[in-house]
C-alpha cells in the first residue's frame, strides 16, 4: 500500500516545472524513481542508485538539478520505510550523496543556487554521514 502511495505522489508532481540544465529529462526522473520504488534486489541497487543520481543531477560532476525540490520528500519517505530494506539503504545512500553535491539550476528561475543549496543541506543533514561523525 505504501508503494502505491509513493507512486501516486511521484505521478502527481509536474516534473516539467523544474526546468534545469539541458541534460534534465523529466520522463527519466519519473522512470528512475518508479524503479527505486520497486527495488527489491540488492544486486540492482548500485546501478539504480547511479541512474537516479544521473536523472536528478550529474553524479560525475557532483551536481543536482532543481527537481530535487520535489524528489527529496519521496526519497526521504523511501529512506524511512524499514519494511523495504534494500530500497531503504539505496535511498539513504542517495540522500547522503546529494547532501554533498552542488546545485546546477540551468534554466530554472524559482530560486538561486544558494537557496537551493541551503534547502538541500537543511533537509538532508539527518541523512548525511556528516551527521554521524559528530
Amino acid at each position: 500500500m505504501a508503494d502505491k502511495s509513493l507512486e501516486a505522489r511521484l505521478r502527481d508532481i509536474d516534473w516539467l516545472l523544474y526546468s534545469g540544465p539541458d541534460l534534465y529529462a523529466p520522463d527519466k526522473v519519473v522512470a528512475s524513481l518508479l524503479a527505486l520504488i520497486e527495488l527489491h534486489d540488492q544486486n540492482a541497487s548500485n546501478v539504480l542508485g547511479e541512474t537516479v543520481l544521473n536523472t536528478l543531477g550529474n553524479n560525475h560532476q557532483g551536481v543536482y538539478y532543481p527537481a530535487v525540490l520535489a524528489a527529496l520528500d519521496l526519497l526521504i519517505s523511501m529512506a524511512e520505510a524499514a519494511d523495504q530494506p534494500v530500497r531503504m539503504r539505496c535511498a539513504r545512500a542517495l540522500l547522503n550523496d546529494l547532501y554533498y553535491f552542488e546545485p546546477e539550476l540551468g534554466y530554472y528561475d524559482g530560486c538561486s543556487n544558494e537557496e537551493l543549496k541551503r534547502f538541500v543541506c537543511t533537509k538532508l543533514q539527518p541523512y548525511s554521514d556528516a551527521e554521524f561523525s559528530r
Side-chain angles (χ1 to χ4, degrees), residues 14-84:
D14 183 356
W15 295 98
L16 292 172
L17 293 176
Y18 302 99
S19 60
D22 291 333
L23 294 175
Y24 174 64
D27 56 323
K28 291 182 179 181
V29 171
V30 172
S32 70
L33 291 175
L34 281 172
L36 183 58
I37 288 169
E38 298 300 323
L39 179 65
H40 299 288
D41 179 5
Q42 184 64 42
N43 294 326
S45 66
N46 285 341
V47 171
L48 181 56
E50 182 84 14
T51 300
V52 172
L53 286 175
N54 283 317
T55 61
L56 291 177
N58 184 309
N59 188 29
H60 297 290
Q61 292 180 345
V63 297
Y64 50 78
Y65 304 150
V68 300
L69 289 164
L72 290 184
D73 284 335
L74 293 168
L75 289 171
I76 288 169
S77 292
M78 291 184 233
E80 296 295 324
D83 62 324
Q84 300 292 333

Side-chain angles (χ1 to χ4, degrees), residues 7-15:
E7 185 176 339
R9 287 171 52 200
L10 170 65
R11 291 185 186 281
D12 282 345
I13 296 168
D14 183 356
W15 295 98

